[in-house]
Amino acid sequence: GRKFAVSIVPARDYQKLFPVPVMLIKVPNAASLNEKLVAEIQQVSMTTPNGKPDSWACDVYTTLTNNNRLHERPGFHDFDLLMRHGFMQFGHAMGYDFTIESLEITQCWVNIYNFGMSQEIHHHPNNIMTGVYYLQAPANCSEILFHSHFADVMIRPAVYEDNALNNPIASLHPKPGDLIFFDSSLRHSVPANDIEGERISLSFNARF
């Protein structure tokens, strides 16, 4: 039979379709802000029982269902401004058409993780943008994991290495003062915290 000589030119680049952006802001001088917020949260935790939804299998202290308007407390004024400007920056990068006046913060609540506590895979329906701010994140505390939209609908083949093109999970190891924003449909989770120190974060949603 006839033989064909085939040469393959190495690809110079890969076009990454439908990127999933996560924006990270390192808040300057976060220590003073965090000190004020932790004091506020201590007051909240003394009077607010655990608002963990019945559907959560994980064990974590949260005010998601019973005190989720924390940004309206006077002690959260500076954080509220920071959060709104972060949403504006992320939303404009996404090309969304809205103003800071039309931006609605739908929820803002605290999650406190102690040893062994975790958060299962979830997303935030009925919202457009989601954020998380880390007030306390001790060394080696649990990271936040982001899960690909395609992970549950496609067969994952065997791979000889994980890389940015084939890995269905990405992680971010938080530090105090880290402020992240992402699309509310992006699924995320927190693995079991295996250190004794408290990992304290504020989560918040927005739409317009």
Side-chain angles (χ1 to χ4, degrees):
R2 297 177 63 187
K3 295 183 178 180
F4 297 91
V6 178
S7 61
I8 298 178
V9 178
R12 293 182 179 272
D13 195 8
Y14 295 90
Q15 185 174 358
K16 298 175 183 178
L17 303 177
F18 315 116
V20 182
V22 175
M23 183 179 80
L24 170 63
I25 296 174
K26 299 284 188 178
V27 176
N29 303 316
S32 59
L33 173 63
N34 292 350
E35 184 178 359
K36 294 177 183 177
L37 291 175
V38 168
E40 284 285 321
I41 289 169
Q42 287 175 342
Q43 292 296 318
V44 170
S45 63
M46 289 169 53
T47 58
T48 306
N50 196 337
K52 184 169 71 75
D54 293 337
S55 60
W56 286 13
C58 60
D59 187 16
V60 58
Y61 174 81
T62 182
T63 62
L64 174 59
T65 64
N66 56 3
N67 200 347
N68 62 14
R69 309 290 299 176
L70 295 181
H71 60 291
E72 296 177 351
R73 293 173 63 93
F76 276 71
H77 175 73
D78 291 343
F79 176 73
D80 182 66
L81 295 176
L82 177 68
M83 175 178 56
R84 290 176 187 274
H85 282 90
F87 274 133
M88 293 299 297
Q89 184 177 341
F90 180 75
H92 285 173
M94 297 293 291
Y96 297 152
D97 184 13
F98 70 105
T99 65
I100 198 165
E101 290 78 19
S102 64
L103 181 70
E104 177 192 359
I105 306 299
T106 59
Q107 298 160 310
C108 177
W109 69 99
V110 66
N111 294 317
I112 302 177
Y113 296 82
N114 284 293
F115 180 81
M117 295 182 179
S118 62
Q119 173 66 71
E120 59 250 66
I121 300 173
H122 66 288
H123 66 288
H124 298 187
N126 302 316
N127 292 285
I128 298 173
M129 299 177 290
T130 291
V132 182
Y133 180 63
Y134 293 92
L135 292 83
Q136 288 185 189
N140 301 315
C141 70
S142 294
E143 65 267 47
I144 181 172
L145 303 179
F146 297 102
H147 301 261
S148 166
H149 291 74
F150 307 113
D152 294 339
V153 297
M154 298 296 291
I155 297 174
R156 190 180 189 224
V159 300
Y160 63 84
E161 69 172 0
D162 289 327
N163 59 44
L165 297 179
N166 67 32
N167 198 334
I169 300 176
S171 64
L172 186 151
H173 293 267
K175 293 181 173 57
D178 281 357
L179 178 62
I180 61 175
F181 295 88
F182 49 93
D183 189 281
S184 297
S185 68
L186 179 58
R187 300 186 310 158
H188 50 288
S189 66
V190 178
N193 197 38
D194 58 3
I195 65 167
E196 294 294 340
E198 286 187 333
R199 177 189 187 274
I200 303 178
S201 61
L202 289 167
S203 295
F204 38 93
N205 294 318
R207 61 189 177 209
F208 47 86

